[in-house]
């Protein structure tokens, strides 16, 4: 009898790439990938050739040319003699600023509204429902424009603060001026400052690092680390004796005493805004464009986060709430210690998408004159230089890096808080 051939020992033939199920899927994927790469190469080559024919080869030298325009709201030093790359970097910091502030405000408000939507108080629950439905179903651009219009039309002008018969006055012990040109708040100053460190020299990405701010951050980090050690010791004592020592006063002392000592050593004081001439001088100026954008994006995104929080809470079995209540826990403690920690595994994944949407929606800032990276690199710079392809590609790359960074951080946090099953 002729021995049967063992399929596992059969020699490889090219026809097996098509007819053998062990290799067919790999072949299809390889062909599809090759076709996609060839199409991409042809598209890029065709675009470059057409641009060269039009006398506009792909170049990025325009980034080193003087920008010749001002940026009204900024975190770093900038003037109109700086390069387009510097202007784009300033716009990027403005984008990161509004995205950071918006994510924090939207999260706090969204959690608050989401919990209140489940309130047993009928009126409170309905008010929160109206808020969610109204903000979710109106385009965010309209909310941004509306917020800007309200700030400009409803707030007093600087001249209303002048004279004995002034119709407007500064708030918070005469330290904050809320006007239709923006909000002026006290500025932190140090009479015995440690100075600044100039990073990256005179490059377009240069920045000044305040040693005072660095010292404050390091002290806060050290205090938080010490507080964790104190809480860990209290937990160990509780596990061994059943009684947890009181640590809140120790934690407050660890956090505030070193910080206060450092601030006194640096000569910390506040520089207050004052009305001089036709406007306020001194302090920190938060323009209405930033305030309107921050307010609109936060309120809009919070409506979506509220629904996510509500869904996460409803995903927790009602039996756990009843069990916690049977142990004598109050409703607030049940929500903070039992429900929300378990709801995080349901809340965080869709929460990431809302953070990304808020960051991308910040590109609508040009509607109210806030100069983010879209308004600088994708707006004035592109119009001045005529480099549409290069500007758009760099703009897309910037938003891609920001979005991937947010996703990476949130996914890392999600892996830390998710429940580990056996």
């Amino acid at each position: 009898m002729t021995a049967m051939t063992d399929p596992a020992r059969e020699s490889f033939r090219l026809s097996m790439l098509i007819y053998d199920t062990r290799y067919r899927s790999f072949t299809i994927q390889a062909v599809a990938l090759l076709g996609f790469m060839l199409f991409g190469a042809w598209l890029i080559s065709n675009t470059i050739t057409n641009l060269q024919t039009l006398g506009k080869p792909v170049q990025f030298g325009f980034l080193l040319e003087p920008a010749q325009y001002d940026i009204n709201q900024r975190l770093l030093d900038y003037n109109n003699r700086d390069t387009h790359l510097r202007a784009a970097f300033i716009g990027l910091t403005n984008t990161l600023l509004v995205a950071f502030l918006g994510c924090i405000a939207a999260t706090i408000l969204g959690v608050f509204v989401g919990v209140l939507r489940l309130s047993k108080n009928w009126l409170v629950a309905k008010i929160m429902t109206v808020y969610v439905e109204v903000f979710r179903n109106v385009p965010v651009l309209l909310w941004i424009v509306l917020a800007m219009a309200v700030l400009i039309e409803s707030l007093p002008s600087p001249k209303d603060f002048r004279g004995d018969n002034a119709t407007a006055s500064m708030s918070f012990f005469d330290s904050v001026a809320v006007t239709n040109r923006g909000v002026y708040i006290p500025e932190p100053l140090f009479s015995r400052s440690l100075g600044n460190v100039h990073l990256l020299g005179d490059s377009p990405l240069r920045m000044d690092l305040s040693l005072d701010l660095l010292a404050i951050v390091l002290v806060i980090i050290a205090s938080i680390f010490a507080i964790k050690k104190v809480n860990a010791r209290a937990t160990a004592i509780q596990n061994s004796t059943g009684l947890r020592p009181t640590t809140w006063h120790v934690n407050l002392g660890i956090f505030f005493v070193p910080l206060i000592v450092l601030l006194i050593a640096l000569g910390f004081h506040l520089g207050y805004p004052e009305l001089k001439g036709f406007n306020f001088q001194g302090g920190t100026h938060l323009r209405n464009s930033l305030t309107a954008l921050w307010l609109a994006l936060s309120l809009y995104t919070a409506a979506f986060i509220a629904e996510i929080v509500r869904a996460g809470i409803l995903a927790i079995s009602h039996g756990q709430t009843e069990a916690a209540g049977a142990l004598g826990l109050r409703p607030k403690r049940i929500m903070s210690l039992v429900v929300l920690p378990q709801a995080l595994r349901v809340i965080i994944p869709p929460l990431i998408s809302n953070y990304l949407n808020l960051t991308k929606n910040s590109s609508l800032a040009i509607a109210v004159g806030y100069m983010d990276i879209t308004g600088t690199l994708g707006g004035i710079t592109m119009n001045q230089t005529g480099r549409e392809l290069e500007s758009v590609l760099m703009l897309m790359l910037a938003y891609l890096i920001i979005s991937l960074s947010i996703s990476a951080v949130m996914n890392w946090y999600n892996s830390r808080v998710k429940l580990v099953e056996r």
Side-chain angles (χ1 to χ4, degrees):
M1 296 179 60
T2 304
M4 297 180 62
T5 303
D6 186 1
R9 299 179 179 275
E10 185 179 359
S11 60
F12 177 79
R13 301 187 306 274
L14 291 177
S15 60
M16 298 172 64
L17 294 175
I18 299 176
Y19 299 108
D20 196 320
T21 56
R22 293 175 297 175
Y23 305 103
R24 185 183 301 162
S25 61
F26 172 79
T27 303
I28 295 175
Q29 295 178 51
V31 172
L33 177 61
L34 179 62
F36 177 78
M37 294 175 62
L38 290 175
F39 175 76
W42 171 83
L43 185 62
I44 295 174
S45 176
N46 188 54
T47 302
I48 293 175
T49 301
N50 291 337
L51 289 175
Q52 290 177 345
T53 303
L54 295 174
K56 295 175 61 176
V58 179
Q59 296 176 349
F60 292 90
F62 72 95
L63 293 173
L64 302 180
E65 299 175 359
Q68 299 181 349
Y69 63 87
D70 294 322
I71 300 177
N72 48 24
Q73 184 81 57
R74 57 184 182 270
L75 294 175
L76 304 175
D77 178 59
Y78 170 83
N79 60 71
N80 55 19
R81 296 184 300 275
D82 284 322
T83 62
H84 287 291
L85 182 58
R86 177 67 176 176
F89 180 62
I90 298 298
L92 177 62
T93 59
N94 286 346
T95 296
L96 295 176
L97 173 64
V98 73
F100 177 75
L101 296 177
C103 288
I104 293 178
T107 302
I108 296 174
L109 182 59
V111 172
F112 180 75
V113 173
V115 172
L116 288 184
R117 279 210 64 187
L118 299 173
S119 173
K120 295 181 180 179
N121 187 309
W122 183 88
L123 180 60
V124 172
K126 292 303 178 183
I127 292 176
M128 296 299 104
T129 301
V130 170
Y131 162 76
V132 170
E133 295 302 328
V134 169
F135 273 90
R136 284 203 312 168
N137 293 287
V138 176
V140 63
L141 178 59
L142 298 182
W143 289 117
I144 295 174
V145 176
L146 177 62
M148 187 66 175
V150 170
L151 292 177
I152 294 176
E153 299 297 335
S154 64
L155 297 179
S157 61
K159 66 179 182 180
D160 296 328
F161 291 80
R162 183 182 293 108
D164 296 331
N165 298 323
T167 59
S169 61
M170 299 177 66
S171 56
F172 296 103
F173 306 100
D174 292 333
S175 61
V176 177
V178 182
T179 74
N180 59 359
R181 297 184 183 179
V183 180
Y184 298 83
I185 62 177
E187 176 186 10
L189 300 174
F190 302 93
S191 59
R192 294 181 290 273
S193 175
L194 299 176
N196 299 325
V197 175
H198 303 284
L199 303 178
L200 302 179
D202 295 329
S203 69
L205 304 182
R206 69 183 184 277
M207 64 180 67
D208 293 334
L209 176 62
S210 172
L211 294 180
D212 305 315
L213 177 61
L214 179 61
I216 292 174
V217 172
L218 291 177
V219 168
I220 292 176
I221 293 176
S223 299
I224 293 176
F225 180 78
I227 290 173
K228 288 186 175 181
K229 290 293 185 180
V230 171
N231 291 337
R233 178 177 178 274
T235 302
I237 294 175
Q238 181 182 13
N239 293 335
S240 60
T241 64
L243 298 175
R244 185 178 183 87
T246 303
T247 59
W248 64 268
H249 57 286
V250 178
N251 291 338
L252 288 178
I254 292 175
F255 186 84
F256 286 105
V257 171
L259 182 60
I260 293 174
V261 171
L262 175 63
L263 293 178
I264 294 175
L266 295 176
F268 172 79
H269 63 282
L270 295 175
Y272 296 97
E274 298 179 359
L275 182 60
K276 297 181 179 179
F278 297 100
N279 206 346
F280 282 90
Q281 304 293 331
T284 300
H285 183 197
L286 302 179
R287 295 182 178 272
N288 283 337
S289 55
L290 171 61
T291 305
L293 184 65
W294 177 24
L295 181 64
L297 290 177
S298 300
L299 292 174
Y300 179 79
T301 308
F304 292 89
I305 294 178
E307 288 298 275
I308 294 173
V309 171
R310 185 172 72 95
I313 294 175
L314 292 177
I316 305 303
S317 173
H318 187 63
Q320 298 197 33
T321 305
E322 294 177 342
L327 294 175
L329 293 179
R330 296 180 179 180
K332 292 182 179 180
R333 302 291 289 176
I334 294 174
M335 180 61 66
S336 61
L337 297 178
V338 178
V339 178
L340 284 181
Q342 297 184 78
L344 282 177
R345 60 176 179 173
V346 180
I347 294 173
I348 291 179
L351 185 65
I352 299 174
S353 298
N354 281 276
Y355 285 167
L356 299 181
N357 288 336
L358 186 149
T359 303
K360 291 180 287 188
N361 286 336
S362 67
S363 61
L364 299 172
I366 193 63
V368 291
Y370 182 71
M371 299 297 290
D372 66 337
I373 190 172
T374 302
T376 54
L377 179 60
I380 300 178
T381 293
M382 184 174 65
N383 293 330
Q384 284 187 356
T385 61
R387 295 290 177 176
E388 301 88 357
L389 179 64
E390 295 90 335
S391 298
V392 171
L393 287 177
M394 292 185 62
L395 190 61
M396 294 171 61
L397 179 62
Y399 278 108
L400 178 63
I401 293 175
I402 295 173
S403 298
L404 292 179
S405 300
I406 295 175
S407 297
V409 173
M410 292 302 298
N411 285 325
W412 170 81
Y413 179 73
N414 186 36
S415 63
R416 292 290 302 270
V417 301
K418 68 179 182 181
L419 297 178
V420 180
E421 299 180 356
R422 295 182 178 178

